[in-house]
Structure formats: structure tokens, C-alpha cells
Amino acid sequence: MNKNTIIQELSAWHDAMLQAQARPFLDPLGLDMRFNAEAFDEDERQNNDCIALYKGGSVFEKVIRYWINYDAMANFFIREDDCSQTAYKEQMHINLFYVIGAALLEMFSDLYHTDNERFDELVDSLPDKQLRTLLQGRKNPKQVAAFCEEFAASHQSGDERENPLYRFCLQYQKHCIM
């Protein structure tokens, strides 16, 4: 398959997943999501090891700014000889929700100990020790990446209710958003 055709199809899946999955998930949290290549420098955009990037801090503006490396994704699909619509859809879903997971972890960990007792109690009572530790501000980049991957994979597979970050989002919506 032609690389430009793959990129066009990935872009179409991006738009579909953004509207059907990402924005409906983010709306109750008061967040939006915007593709923004200019938010990242040329070195970041040329790194073929990174497929999806989240612009740290953008979540505090209530907009998750991100960029997806369509070129690297197309090269991967060509190399793997898997140019199926299913593969495109799954990968786009995972990329979007990986970025969302990174933004949520940043937002929630920043909210901890900011004079919102209800939120702090919610974090302190989390049964998942790893998530509790991350939200209390003890960040480990490998743990953050693993949580984002798990969050994205569970959402893509339809098992999001089993994911601790997803469940925390529901609790946050119920108890802390006014």
C-alpha cells in the first residue's frame, strides 16, 4: 500500500476516534483535545521512536495538546505488512488514549495537596497503590508510561472499567467536579 494513502486513512481514523471516543470521555472532565504539531520542536517531531506526544502542562489550560507521527506509523504498518483498517483503528485509539492518560496523570497529581480535601481523600483512599503513589506526586517515568499504556489498551479493548485510572476518573467526576 502507498504511504500517503496510509497516512490519509490514519488521519481519517484519528478524526473518527477523536469524535467518537476521546471527546465524549473528556467532556465530563471539562477537557478538550487538540492536535498541534507546532507545540513540539523539530527534534521531537523527527524522533521516529515517538508515535504520540503529549505537550506537558497543556491540560492545565483545559486542552490536551498532542501530536501524532503519522509518517512513523505508516512506516511501521508497511514494515509489518499490516495495512488493515482494524490495525489503523486500534493504533489510533491507543495513541489518543495514551496521550489522555499522560495528561490525566499530570492533572491529577498536580491537584493533590491544593486545598481540596475531598480530592486528597479520594487519592489517599485509592486501593491501587501504584496509582495512589503517582497521584501523590512520586513520579516514576517508567510507571507513568506503563499506566498510560495500560489505560489506553484497556480503553481500546473495552475493559476500561477494570482500569484504576479510568475508575479514578469516574470517582473524580462524581465527588470533585462542581
Side-chain angles (χ1 to χ4, degrees):
M1 184 173 254
N2 173 314
K3 186 174 180 178
N4 288 331
T5 302
I6 294 171
I7 290 172
Q8 288 174 340
E9 290 187 32
L10 288 169
S11 179
W13 276 112
H14 165 268
D15 295 347
M17 297 307 297
L18 182 64
Q19 294 306 320
Q21 298 286 325
R23 285 205 169 115
F25 174 79
L26 293 170
D27 280 347
L29 297 168
L31 299 172
D32 195 7
M33 198 167 185
R34 289 203 187 100
F35 188 92
N36 186 345
E38 292 78 36
F40 301 91
D41 66 35
E42 189 66 26
D43 289 339
E44 290 172 313
R45 292 192 311 262
Q46 293 302 319
N47 182 354
N48 287 328
D49 293 335
C50 294
I51 293 177
L53 297 173
Y54 159 64
K55 186 64 176 178
S58 66
V59 72
F60 303 117
E61 301 165 9
K62 299 296 184 188
V63 176
I64 299 169
R65 299 191 192 290
Y66 67 100
W67 177 72
I68 294 176
N69 189 338
Y70 290 118
D71 195 60
M73 286 177 70
N75 288 336
F76 171 80
F77 287 121
I78 290 168
R79 192 172 50 252
E80 295 296 314
D81 195 28
D82 184 2
C83 296
S84 68
Q85 294 296 311
T86 301
Y88 299 159
K89 179 183 177 184
E90 288 175 0
Q91 190 60 49
M92 196 52 64
H93 195 153
I94 288 170
N95 288 332
L96 286 172
F97 277 86
Y98 183 94
V99 167
I100 290 170
L104 291 174
L105 287 174
E106 181 182 34
M107 181 180 85
F108 290 144
S109 67
D110 193 66
L111 286 173
Y112 189 71
H113 282 309
T114 58
D115 297 328
N116 184 335
E117 290 181 28
R118 230 189 300 176
F119 180 80
D120 290 352
E121 288 171 10
L122 198 60
V123 170
D124 293 340
S125 66
L126 275 169
D128 188 286
K129 184 180 179 190
Q130 285 184 315
L131 181 58
R132 184 175 61 243
T133 299
L134 287 174
L135 298 185
Q136 289 172 335
R138 294 184 289 267
K139 293 183 182 167
N140 173 324
K142 287 182 181 179
Q143 267 188 325
V144 169
F147 253 87
C148 293
E149 288 171 14
E150 182 183 317
F151 176 72
S154 70
H155 200 280
Q156 190 279 322
S157 69
D159 296 329
E160 65 270 8
R161 294 211 180 268
E162 302 303 315
N163 182 272
L165 181 55
Y166 181 87
R167 286 193 312 266
F168 183 79
C169 289
L170 295 177
Q171 290 179 325
Y172 174 76
Q173 289 173 38
K174 184 177 178 181
H175 297 291
C176 297
I177 295 179
M178 295 169 217

